[in-house]
């Protein structure tokens, strides 16, 4: 457990750089080098989107850095931890355990790492499926995860441009491209992703 003061009340200032370094070291114990690179990319992209759209930059950077904290846990362990912590909300999660790395990651960050910032924890928890009524930080982390420079797929540059101008439109289009990807592969779709998309369409 990190010093809870450092971990819970992450505030820009003198301690900022060392705290980020400490978190990066912590990640290195859980994630592969490729995943660390992705996490650093998401951290920087989150900070950039936050600056662009008026969100707290350091909070976004930290949430981005930590968003995949549980990503390398084996499927059975994701299920076991999620069950123990009461995090299973739909049967789809047991069939597609990777969906649980958001909620389980947030849980671990709270219990093991001492992160107490609810906005960061929620953004981590929601980054895999999305959710209705996402906060600005939720949206930024979701988008940065899909758009960081290491991501390469058809249409990603358009989505990046869109994310500069219109966050909600970029979120909708990114979510839709994720839904299409899942459908094309014949995989299960989490109902909350549908709810998230409907919410965006209704509340634009
Ligand atoms: Fe992830
Ligand atoms: Fe990710």
């Amino acid at each position: 457990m990190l010093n809870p003061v450092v971990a819970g009340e992450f505030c820009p200032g003198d301690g900022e750089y060392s705290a980020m370094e400490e978190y990066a070291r912590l990640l290195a114990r859980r994630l592969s080098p490729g995943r660390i690179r992705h996490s650093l990319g998401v951290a920087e992209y989150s900070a950039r989107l936050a600056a662009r759209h008026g969100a707290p930059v350091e909070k976004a950077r930290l949430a981005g850095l930590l968003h995949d904290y549980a990503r390398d846990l084996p499927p059975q362990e994701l299920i076991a931890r999620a069950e123990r912590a009461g995090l299973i909300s739909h049967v789809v999660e047991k069939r597609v355990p990777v969906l649980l790395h958001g909620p389980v990651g947030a849980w671990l960050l709270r219990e093991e790492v001492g992160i107490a910032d609810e906005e960061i924890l929620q953004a981590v928890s929601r980054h895999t499926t999305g959710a209705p009524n996402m906060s600005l930080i939720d949206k930024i982390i979701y988008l940065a995860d899909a758009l960081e420079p290491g991501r390469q797929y058809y249409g990603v540059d358009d989505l990046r441009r869109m994310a500069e101008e219109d966050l909600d439109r970029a979120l909708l289009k990114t979510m839709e491209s994720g839904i299409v990807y899942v459908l094309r592969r014949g995989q299960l779709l989490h109902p909350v992703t549908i709810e998230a998309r409907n919410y965006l369409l209704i509340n634009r």
Side-chain angles (χ1 to χ4, degrees), residues 26-184:
L26 223 130
L27 281 187
R29 281 194 243 142
R30 285 207 169 260
L31 301 179
S32 69
R35 200 79 73 192
I36 300 271
R37 244 189 330 271
H38 164 66
S39 299
L40 292 170
V42 175
E44 289 318 304
Y45 211 94
S46 299
R48 173 200 165 96
L49 286 178
R52 175 90 190 159
H53 296 287
V57 172
E58 292 314 319
K59 188 184 287 224
R61 192 193 308 276
L62 182 58
L65 181 70
L66 299 175
H67 80 286
D68 267 346
Y69 190 67
R71 182 62 182 79
D72 283 347
L73 288 181
Q76 284 314 315
E77 193 172 340
L78 281 174
I79 292 174
R81 283 182 182 270
E83 279 183 331
R84 248 180 288 145
L87 296 172
I88 304 275
S89 65
H90 196 279
V91 66
V92 165
E93 292 150 15
K94 291 176 88 167
R95 306 293 291 266
V96 191
V98 70
L99 293 173
L100 290 167
H101 81 269
V104 170
W107 187 88
L108 286 171
L109 288 168
R110 186 199 299 276
E111 300 298 321
E112 280 188 11
V113 183
I115 300 282
D117 186 313
E118 296 297 335
E119 291 183 316
I120 292 177
L121 295 171
Q122 177 174 287
V124 170
S125 178
R126 290 178 159 185
H127 89 270
T128 40
T129 56
N133 198 15
M134 290 164 85
S135 72
L136 185 53
I137 293 278
D138 294 347
K139 294 173 182 177
I140 285 171
I141 302 310
Y142 186 96
L143 279 172
D145 185 29
L147 305 182
E148 59 97 2
R151 297 284 202 197
Q152 273 162 23
Y153 50 89
Y154 180 77
V156 70
D157 284 329
D158 289 341
L159 293 172
R160 286 182 182 129
R161 272 190 292 275
M162 215 183 281
E164 299 289 314
E165 302 308 323
D166 185 340
L167 206 67
D168 279 343
R169 184 167 148 74
L171 184 64
L172 176 65
K173 293 299 161 191
T174 301
M175 211 168 259
E176 288 180 345
S177 115
I179 291 170
V180 167
Y181 177 83
V182 168
L183 293 183
R184 286 230 170 95

